[in-house]
Amino acid sequence: EEDWYGFTCYSPHVIHLSYVSVRHASSVFRGDLNMQGEQGDSLRITHSFFRDIDQHVFDFYSTYQYTGSRWVIQDNRFTDFQIFFDQRHYLHDENDEGTLLKIDGNEFDPEGSIMDDYIQIDNDGGRVIFTNNQGTSNSRLGFRNYSDHPEDQVIIRDNQLSGGYISLYGGGQGGFLFKNNTLDGTYLSVDYVAEALIQDNTIQNC
């Protein structure tokens, strides 16, 4: 039963949560979550359990990571929520300062889907790592890479995902690595990318 709003954010510098249990919130994070790496901004959520969430985990119109900011979401369990990323998430790094979004070792069991839109790298400095995650239902994921570098700036590896679909898009740019994933009833779409290495995956029931 929903009995609180969750964490309302207004451009915080640091969010670090470890070994916490969150339940019965309307959403986990809401408000305004834009982080500047030049100011040392970072988000780190590890070894925590989020469950019985009425709406979304990241409930924003959009979220932004700027030059050098780092987000790590690792070894958590998320169950009984609608959507993990409700809208678009952008990584904008013109100065190649190592802006990073790492989502690793999590379990997702949504009532809706993992993503409703996509994660986007705007330029050369951003990197997205999505590895060792398990999606038990509707593992909808979207990744866009508009970098001029052909390197693998989006790495999707060693995941076990069920249902939904995965979209990789580059507008004629960007590099992707999609390796050693197990997809059960999950479709994969690759469009207009400069380079995509798709290797050693198991795809079934599609």
Side-chain angles (χ1 to χ4, degrees), residues 85-100:
F85 274 122
D86 178 39
Q87 293 292 338
R88 300 170 187 174
H89 181 85
Y90 297 94
L91 289 82
H92 188 82
D93 188 345
E94 294 180 349
N95 301 322
D96 201 5
E97 296 288 341
T99 303
L100 172 69

Side-chain angles (χ1 to χ4, degrees), residues 157-192:
R157 185 168 183 168
D158 300 317
N159 302 286
Q160 298 183 23
L161 305 170
S162 299
Y165 65 89
I166 301 170
S167 172
L168 310 180
Y169 181 86
Q173 300 169 280
F176 297 83
L177 172 65
F178 192 89
K179 185 175 182 178
N180 200 32
N181 301 287
T182 299
L183 308 183
D184 187 355
T186 305
Y187 294 83
L188 174 64
S189 172
V190 182
D191 299 289
Y192 304 108

Side-chain angles (χ1 to χ4, degrees), residues 2 5 33 37 43 57 72 102 121 123 129 136 191 194:
E2 174 194 341
Y5 246 25
L33 190 53
L43 178 144
V57 177
V72 175
K102 181 179 180 180
I121 294 177
N123 35 36
I129 299 174
T136 59
D191 299 289

Side-chain angles (χ1 to χ4, degrees), residues 24-175:
H24 292 166
S26 175
S27 295
V28 179
F29 299 104
R30 60 174 66 231
D32 176 5
L33 190 53
N34 301 324
M35 288 194 162
Q36 305 281 348
E38 296 169 346
Q39 300 175 10
D41 294 359
S42 66
L43 178 144
R44 184 175 182 86
I45 302 171
T46 63
H47 302 101
S48 296
F49 187 15
F50 301 83
R51 63 194 188 279
D52 300 322
I53 307 301
D54 186 58
Q55 292 296 316
H56 315 306
V57 177
F58 290 95
D59 191 356
F60 302 92
Y61 178 72
S62 57
T63 49
Y64 290 84
Q65 286 182 252
Y66 293 100
T67 305
S69 69
R70 299 173 68 85
W71 286 31
V72 175
I73 302 169
Q74 189 168 25
D75 296 327
N76 304 288
R77 186 180 179 193
F78 301 90
T79 67
D80 299 318
F81 61 94
Q82 291 300 316
I83 299 169
F84 185 72
F85 274 122
D86 178 39
Q87 293 292 338
R88 300 170 187 174
H89 181 85
Y90 297 94
L91 289 82
H92 188 82
D93 188 345
E94 294 180 349
N95 301 322
D96 201 5
E97 296 288 341
T99 303
L100 172 69
L101 171 62
K102 181 179 180 180
I103 302 174
D104 174 76
N106 302 283
E107 178 184 341
F108 300 100
D109 185 13
E111 294 181 0
S113 59
I114 297 177
M115 296 183 194
D116 190 50
D117 218 319
Y118 52 80
I119 293 169
Q120 176 172 312
I121 294 177
D122 287 336
N123 35 36
D124 294 346
R127 195 175 191 206
V128 174
I129 299 174
F130 189 91
T131 51
N132 301 301
N133 299 291
Q134 180 179 353
T136 59
S137 63
N138 201 351
S139 300
R140 176 180 174 180
L141 302 172
F143 300 92
R144 296 189 176 190
N145 187 358
Y146 292 104
S147 167
D148 290 327
H149 287 333
E151 291 89 358
D152 303 326
Q153 286 182 279
V154 178
I155 297 173
I156 305 164
R157 185 168 183 168
D158 300 317
N159 302 286
Q160 298 183 23
L161 305 170
S162 299
Y165 65 89
I166 301 170
S167 172
L168 310 180
Y169 181 86
Q173 300 169 280

